[in-house]
Amino acid sequence: DAKTTQPTSMDCAEGRAANLPCNHSTISGNEYVYWYRQIHSQGPQYIIHGLKNNETNEMASLIITEDRKSSTLILPHATLRDTAVYYCIVRPLYGNKLVFGAGTILRVKS
Amino acid sequence: NAGVMQNPRHLVRRRGQEARLRCSPMKGHSHVYWYRQLPEEGLKFMVYLQKENIIDESGMPKERFSAEFPKEGPSILRIQQVVRGDSAAYFCASSPETGRNTGELFFGEGSRLTVL
């Protein structure tokens, strides 16, 4: 599975959009980009995934660059409860596991 | 529709004892994954199982650890002769059959093992 690079930590003001970047320059054609988050020692939670088109759901939007070498997760109106570690993962759609890196610690501040 | 259920949520064992962690996947899910998270560290993949089969155990320590997912009942992660370094949170995740798989894993809330 391709490797991803994320900033160690980010701060965001409550109510503002949180934009979390991820680099995956070695991504291959059959690999999807997945985002998960882990809120303070709880079980990881799926957020969104995509292949090459931008995706949006009730939680977030995923913007993938045309060359697929990077992506951005957007939380449109961050709340204090969005404070968590956010993981960007690439894997084939039917890959047999997720490999978690260090992720980005997002701190939402009032 | 209940989520992934793990028990016990907290387990305390003395060095040398055995720990058994159970995971009931979501209804209709036939794939189970176990992950370990040491204190202040990231999630590490341990093993991936389908019913009665171990598919990928590349992350399992070579000794003392075993996992099973029988035809009936929950998946079990078994740690024999526990040591203090086994103290961690153990997370289980499940997913449906590959053919209907969005790639989304559903995680439980974890079992926290403390070895005294």
Side-chain angles (χ1 to χ4, degrees), chain A residues 34 36 38 40-46 49 87 91 93-102, chain B residues 33 35 37 42-45 48 55-56 58 91 98-99 101-105 107-109 112:
Chain A
Y34 290 82
Y36 280 73
Q38 186 176 26
H40 187 55
S41 301
Q42 295 179 19
Q45 177 188 24
Y46 166 83
H49 76 283
Y87 299 97
R91 62 156 243 185
L93 181 62
Y94 301 129
N96 66 7
K97 62 193 177 193
L98 292 171
V99 178
F100 288 83
Chain B
Y33 310 75
Y35 286 79
Q37 188 167 35
L43 290 143
K44 301 298 183 188
F45 168 80
Y48 161 48
I55 307 302
D56 181 347
S58 57
F91 291 97
T98 300
N101 190 349
T102 64
E104 177 183 352
L105 301 190
F107 282 82
E109 289 305 311
R112 279 149 186 85

Side-chain angles (χ1 to χ4, degrees), chain B residues 13-76:
Chain B
R13 285 287 179 266
R14 296 190 180 279
R15 280 179 298 170
Q17 292 184 319
E18 178 179 286
R20 283 189 181 225
L21 308 177
R22 288 174 291 279
C23 170
S24 296
M26 287 182 68
K27 187 176 181 181
H29 286 193
S30 57
H31 299 204
V32 165
Y33 310 75
W34 285 94
Y35 286 79
R36 177 167 67 174
Q37 188 167 35
L38 295 170
E40 307 303 322
E41 293 191 14
L43 290 143
K44 301 298 183 188
F45 168 80
M46 299 182 74
V47 63
Y48 161 48
L49 310 102
Q50 295 180 21
K51 286 284 188 181
E52 300 183 282
N53 286 305
I54 296 175
I55 307 302
D56 181 347
E57 56 181 348
S58 57
M60 286 282 270
K62 293 289 184 277
E63 297 177 346
R64 302 187 297 108
F65 285 72
S66 62
E68 63 176 9
F69 188 18
K71 187 176 180 180
E72 301 291 337
S75 175
I76 307 286

